[in-house]
Amino acid sequence: MEMEKLVSLCRRRGFLFQSSEIYGGLNGFWDYGPLGVELKRNLKDAWWRDMVSAHDDLDTLAGAPSPYEMVGLDCTIIMHPQVWKNSGHHDLFVDEMVDCRESKKRYRYDQVLGRWASCDGKKSQGPPKQLSGPTFDVKGAEYDKIFVTSIGEEPESEIERRAMKHFKLRAKDADKLSWDGPAVTLDKINVADFDKTLGPDATGLGTLTEPRDFNLMFPTTIGALAGEEGRAFLRPETAQGIFVNFKNVIDSTRVRVPVGIAQVGKSFRNEITPRNFTFRSREFEQMEIEFFCHPDESRKWYEYWRNRRMAWWQEMGLAGDRLILRDHHADELSHYSTGTADIEYAFPFLPEGEYGELEGIAHRGDFDLRSHMEGKLDPNSCPLTVQLGEDGKPLHRGSGKDLTYRDEVTNERFTPHVIEPSAGADRGALAILCEAYTEDTAPDDKGKEQTRLSMKFHPRIAPIKAAVFPLVKKDGMPEVAKDLYRALKKKFPAFYDEKGAVGRRYRRQDEVGTPYCITVDGQTLDDKTVTLRDRDSLEQVRIRLDDAVEEIERRVTGD
Ligand code: ATP
C-alpha cells in the first residue's frame, strides 16, 4: 500500500487533519476528525478495559506468575520541575542536532544520510567565507571528494540526484560519478569533514554546524514568575506521574504489590524532525503501565508483559506478519534496564524490512523509585559529584520520601522493581489504519466486479459499527430503518443513509470501515426480516428485525 493513498483517505473521510490547516498547518501536530476520534478512542478504551477495568485480579492469568491488581491514574501534564531532574529527562532526554547555516533548517544528527562522492577528478569549492565558522576555517579550499546528504523519503536516490546536480552532470554522464563506500548517517563521519559536506537542503558545502544537544522537553512558565523559578516543562511521558504517585496509591487503596498502575494521556516532545504522518509527532498520547513487583519476581513479570502486550495488539487487528516483537540487544539497553522488547510494525513509509516502534516493554529495575527517593542517578549517566543548581542546592536532590514498600504478609520491606509497557495511542491508531487499508474487488449493483477500497478494522475498533439503509425511500421502509437506527445508536455509533443506489451506500461504508450494513427492503415489511451484510466476506444473511441490535452487539463485542 502506498502511504499517499492512506493519507489522502484519512483527510477525505475525516480521520486525520493537519493541525491549524487553514493557517498552513503546524509541523508535527495532527487533529483527529469525526471518524479518527472514534477510532483512537476505541483503541484507548479497549486498552483501558482489557488492562484495567475488566482485569481479573482474582485469578492467575495465562502466563502470569501470580494474580495481580490493576488500577488507574490521571496525572497533570505540568509537574514539579524536580521530577524531570530526577527522572533524567532534564539532562539526558536529548537528541543531537545539526543546523544548516544556509537553509536555516535543523536536522537530527543520526537521521541525515550521506555518501562520499567524487567526479572524474573535478574539484569542489569549500565553504564560502560568510559561512565559515570556527570549525570551518577552510576558505578557498578545494576537495576531490564530498559527502552528499539527504533526509528525504528515498534518501539514496535523492543523494544520487543531488550529487549529479552538484557536479553538473547530465543523466547520460552518470558513470562519471564514483562512490566511496555505502550510505552512512552523518554521526558516522568525522566532524572535521563537515566542511566537505553538502547539507540536505544546502547549495554550498560546509554549511552544517557541529552537533549539539537539544532537549526534547517543551519548556513553559508557571504564573508570572520569570527565570528558573517559574520554569516548568510539559511532560514528555506519562510514566513519571505514576512513579511520584506510587506511595499515594498504595496508602489510599487496598492494592498490594504486584500491582500495575495505568495512565492514558498526552505527552509532548519537541522532536527535531517530526515526520511520517502521525508516527513522530510533537504532541501525542501514550498508554502506559508501571507494574510494581518484588525484585525476585521481576524477570518472570517482564516475560509475562512482553507476551501479553504482543497478544493484545494482535487482538486489535494487527494479526499479520507486519507486527513483530523484537528484543533489544545488550548494547541498545538503557543503563538501568536488564531487558527491553519493542513491539514494532512494518509501516509502509519505512524501507522494506524496517519496523517502527508501537510499544516498548522495559524492565526498569528500581531505578525510578530510587531516583525519586534519593535523587541519585546512575553513575554511568551522570557525574558522581553533586551538581549544584543556580540556587546553590543540589540539582538532583530526591524527594526525601520513603518510596519503599512493606509486604503486610511477609513483613519484608523492599523497593519494588518496575516493568513498563509503554505504548503510543497515535502510533497504534496509525498501524491499525495501515493494516486495515485494503483494495480488492466486489460486484457493483449490476453484478459487475469493481475495485473496492475498504478499511478492514476489527469490529471493536471500527469508528461506526453498523449502517442502516432503507432500500428505497418509500413504502414505509425509511420509518422502519430509522427506528432500527435509533435503537442501534443507543448502544454504539451507527449511521443512517438513504441516498443513492444501495451498492454505492455499501461502498461509502466500506471506505470508512463499517463492519456491518443492514438493509430494510420490501420483504422486511412482510416478514420482519432484514439483510445483514458483512464488510469483509460480503456475505448477506437475513436476520429477524427484532434480533438486529443484539446480533450486531454480539458480533462487535465477540461475546
Ligand atoms: P522513538 O525511538 O521512536 O522516538 P521512544 O523509544 O523514544 O520512541 P518511548 O519513550 O519508549 O519512545 O515512548 C513510548 C511510546 O510512545 C512509543 O512506543 C511510541 O508509541 C510513543 N511515542 C514516543 N514518541 C512519539 C512521538 N514523537 N510521536 C508519537 N508517538 C510517540
Side-chain angles (χ1 to χ4, degrees):
M1 189 256 298
E2 293 141 49
M3 202 56 203
E4 296 75 52
K5 287 189 180 173
L6 179 70
V7 173
S8 134
L9 174 104
C10 283
R11 200 185 172 288
R12 189 158 39 86
R13 303 309 308 263
F15 283 98
L16 278 157
F17 308 123
Q18 221 189 347
S19 163
S20 325
E21 197 185 81
I22 61 165
Y23 289 103
L26 193 59
N27 202 7
F29 297 89
W30 296 92
D31 294 337
Y32 286 79
L35 290 178
V37 66
E38 296 290 344
L39 179 85
K40 187 168 150 189
R41 179 172 300 154
N42 289 342
L43 184 68
K44 290 187 291 178
D45 285 352
W47 185 88
W48 191 263
R49 205 182 122 75
D50 295 348
M51 296 300 120
V52 188
S53 55
H55 166 67
D56 181 355
D57 54 334
L58 303 178
D59 213 348
T60 303
L61 300 190
S66 67
Y68 62 94
E69 298 190 71
M70 290 293 300
V71 291
L73 262 187
D74 186 18
C75 308
T76 58
I77 284 170
I78 296 175
M79 298 170 70
H80 195 292
Q82 202 62 27
V83 169
W84 308 113
K85 289 189 178 155
N86 288 325
S87 69
H89 287 84
H90 192 272
D91 297 322
L92 304 171
F93 194 52
V94 289
D95 271 347
E96 278 191 296
M97 48 114 201
V98 290
D99 285 315
C100 178
R101 282 172 293 194
E102 185 194 309
S103 70
K104 307 286 176 234
K105 290 204 174 158
R106 177 168 283 182
Y107 312 99
R108 237 173 86 170
Y109 191 31
D110 58 353
Q111 280 178 353
V112 178
L113 199 73
R115 210 170 165 193
W116 287 103
S118 53
C119 175
D120 238 359
K122 256 193 199 174
K123 302 266 185 232
S124 292
Q125 284 293 318
K129 194 173 174 192
Q130 70 273 22
L131 288 176
S132 320
T135 35
F136 304 110
D137 194 15
V138 282
K139 290 157 243 166
E142 290 190 325
Y143 311 112
D144 296 326
K145 203 166 69 168
I146 63 163
F147 190 68
V148 186
T149 66
S150 165
I151 54 152
E153 298 281 305
E154 289 174 359
E156 304 235 6
S157 49
E158 173 72 3
I159 289 169
E160 189 167 340
R161 195 190 59 73
R162 300 195 68 221
M164 299 277 290
K165 191 165 172 212
H166 175 85
F167 290 115
K168 299 193 177 61
L169 292 176
R170 281 187 293 198
K172 67 178 174 53
D173 298 322
D175 56 351
K176 296 211 167 99
L177 208 59
S178 34
W179 299 104
D180 187 2
V184 290
T185 47
L186 192 60
D187 52 333
K188 303 287 180 313
I189 76 162
N190 202 321
V191 175
D193 282 332
F194 272 25
D195 54 326
K196 307 182 186 87
T197 297
L198 183 64
D201 297 285
T203 53
L205 297 180
T207 61
L208 297 179
T209 61
E210 276 187 66
R212 271 182 291 156
D213 281 350
F214 175 77
N215 194 299
L216 298 185
M217 284 197 295
F218 277 100
T220 187
T221 309
I222 300 176
L225 293 174
E228 269 301 304
E229 239 180 303
R231 196 169 144 89
F233 299 94
L234 306 190
R235 66 179 175 202
E237 61 173 35
T238 58
Q240 297 304 323
I242 302 179
F243 293 125
V244 301
N245 276 295
F246 170 69
K247 204 74 183 162
N248 284 340
V249 171
I250 295 292
D251 291 349
S252 63
T253 63
R254 295 179 56 212
V255 294
R256 301 188 48 236
V257 168
V259 60
I261 306 180
Q263 173 162 223
V264 177
K266 289 261 175 145
S267 291
F268 302 81
R269 296 183 187 179
N270 202 358
E271 300 278 0
I272 299 169
T273 38
R275 57 176 166 174
N276 292 333
F277 209 13
T278 57
F279 182 82
R280 191 168 298 286
S281 308
R282 290 178 163 141
E283 174 174 342
F284 55 95
E285 253 177 306
Q286 291 185 308
M287 309 186 289
E288 296 197 293
I289 298 170
E290 303 304 326
F291 188 81
F292 300 89
C293 59
H294 191 283
D296 293 348
E297 300 272 291
S298 57
R299 195 72 218 170
K300 286 191 233 159
W301 282 113
Y302 168 67
E303 293 297 330
Y304 166 73
W305 279 108
R306 192 181 156 278
N307 300 332
R308 170 100 206 266
R309 294 299 309 144
M310 178 69 178
W312 186 82
W313 283 109
Q314 289 169 329
E315 282 165 30
M316 293 301 108
L318 302 181
D321 53 12
R322 298 183 80 84
L323 189 76
I324 58 162
L325 179 63
R326 186 181 70 83
D327 289 304
H328 280 207
H329 302 295
D331 58 356
E332 273 181 281
L333 293 178
S334 318
H335 53 93
Y336 48 76
S337 182
T338 55
T340 299
D342 283 347
I343 297 172
E344 300 180 334
Y345 184 76
F347 286 98
F349 47 75
L350 297 173
E352 188 69 28
E354 279 189 27
Y355 296 80
E357 176 185 328
L358 281 190
E359 170 161 354
I361 300 105
H363 186 313
R364 299 180 62 91
D366 62 4
F367 173 77
D368 306 276
L369 289 179
R370 271 196 117 73
S371 300
H372 287 301
M373 265 192 294
E374 302 165 10
K376 198 168 67 189
L377 285 176
D378 188 285
N380 296 327
S381 65
C382 108
L384 270 175
T385 48
V386 178
Q387 285 180 285
L388 298 182
E390 279 177 14
D391 56 2
K393 292 183 185 157
L395 214 49
H396 297 292
R397 61 186 187 279
S399 65
K401 298 279 181 302
D402 178 8
L403 303 182
T404 59
Y405 172 80
R406 189 177 65 83
D407 190 304
E408 279 170 14
V409 178
T410 61
N411 229 352
E412 184 189 0
R413 184 167 283 285
F414 58 90
T415 309
H417 274 197
V418 170
I419 312 301
E420 176 188 81
S422 166
D426 306 86
R427 286 193 189 171
L430 183 60
I432 283 170
L433 282 163
C434 293
E435 184 83 5
Y437 188 100
T438 314
E439 281 174 10
D440 55 12
T441 57
D444 64 9
D445 283 334
K446 299 187 183 77
K448 211 171 131 212
E449 287 289 318
Q450 299 280 8
T451 50
R452 171 178 88 128
L453 171 57
S454 64
M455 294 300 283
K456 295 195 169 171
F457 298 125
H458 187 287
R460 219 177 143 190
I461 298 297
I464 300 168
K465 308 299 183 196
V468 185
F469 312 146
L471 185 64
V472 288
K473 256 199 288 185
K474 55 183 185 185
D475 302 335
M477 290 182 214
E479 287 72 16
V480 177
K482 281 178 187 168
D483 280 346
L484 174 58
Y485 165 68
R486 287 189 194 105
L488 282 166
K489 258 211 134 172
K490 287 195 182 129
K491 305 265 181 180
F492 33 64
F495 193 80
Y496 177 79
D497 190 1
E498 54 180 29
K499 292 186 212 82
V502 79
R504 286 239 300 284
R505 285 182 255 167
Y506 282 145
R507 295 301 162 94
R508 282 201 289 264
Q509 292 308 311
D510 288 344
E511 254 192 47
V512 299
T514 307
Y516 307 109
C517 292
I518 300 173
T519 306
V520 169
D521 54 18
Q523 198 180 324
T524 312
L525 309 174
D526 295 336
D527 66 2
K528 287 200 159 244
T529 62
V530 287
T531 46
L532 171 63
R533 178 233 195 215
D534 181 287
R535 177 198 64 206
D536 300 344
S537 67
L538 296 173
E539 195 191 10
Q540 299 200 13
V541 290
R542 281 207 89 84
I543 58 167
R544 277 162 36 101
L545 174 63
D546 290 345
D547 295 343
V549 175
E550 210 175 294
E551 177 62 22
I552 299 287
E553 201 171 15
R554 190 183 63 74
R555 290 181 181 224
V556 168
T557 57
D559 293 339

